[in-house]
Amino acid sequence: MSAICVKVITYPWMWLFMKNAFEGAQSAIRLATDPQLKQVTGEYFNDCEIAATSEAGQDKELAKKLYMQTIKTLQRVTKLTVDKEACTMDTDTATKGQKGGAQLQLENGN
């Protein structure tokens, strides 16, 4: 089926299931401007409110695998070097709200 046919078939129904750009931006705008949310971190927001995450979204081991795969992909695609010690993701540290993460640098030192 061609792309045009898919658009013709799906476009009339999209308004039932999708948000327009204005509606989609509302959560990000609220998070950036609402002083009451200044200290809120690590939460999932849906329609401008804190929402429960899925089980997969709470899986620390899955998060660690995704993080490590992301680092490997960044190294391969962008030619970034990664501080290996900073890449170790301690789930206890992450759950206590302490900040960490990998230090990425360009190979040429920039």
Side-chain angles (χ1 to χ4, degrees), residues 82-89:
V82 178
D83 178 0
K84 298 295 183 188
E85 290 179 18
C87 273
T88 58
M89 189 170 140

Side-chain angles (χ1 to χ4, degrees), residues 20-36:
N20 62 35
F22 179 81
E23 294 168 334
Q26 295 308 301
S27 286
I29 292 169
R30 178 168 182 226
L31 290 168
T33 60
D34 190 341
Q36 294 176 336

Side-chain angles (χ1 to χ4, degrees), residues 15-109:
W15 65 272
L16 287 171
F17 306 107
M18 298 182 73
K19 296 178 181 182
N20 62 35
F22 179 81
E23 294 168 334
Q26 295 308 301
S27 286
I29 292 169
R30 178 168 182 226
L31 290 168
T33 60
D34 190 341
Q36 294 176 336
L37 298 174
K38 187 175 183 177
Q39 300 300 320
V40 176
T41 62
E43 297 291 340
Y44 171 70
F45 278 74
N46 186 29
D47 292 331
C48 297
E49 299 297 329
I50 294 176
T53 58
S54 65
E55 285 186 34
Q58 297 174 15
D59 186 342
K60 300 292 183 192
E61 286 301 314
L62 183 59
K64 184 175 180 178
K65 288 178 185 176
L66 175 61
Y67 179 79
M68 295 309 294
Q69 185 59 48
T70 302
I71 295 299
K72 288 177 186 176
T73 302
L74 282 171
Q75 285 180 311
R76 183 174 35 90
V77 173
T78 64
K79 306 298 187 224
L80 293 172
T81 58
V82 178
D83 178 0
K84 298 295 183 188
E85 290 179 18
C87 273
T88 58
M89 189 170 140
D90 182 8
T91 55
D92 292 334
T93 302
T95 57
K96 291 177 184 171
Q98 296 175 358
K99 294 183 180 179
Q103 300 295 320
L104 301 176
Q105 296 178 343
L106 293 173
E107 281 186 346
N108 63 6

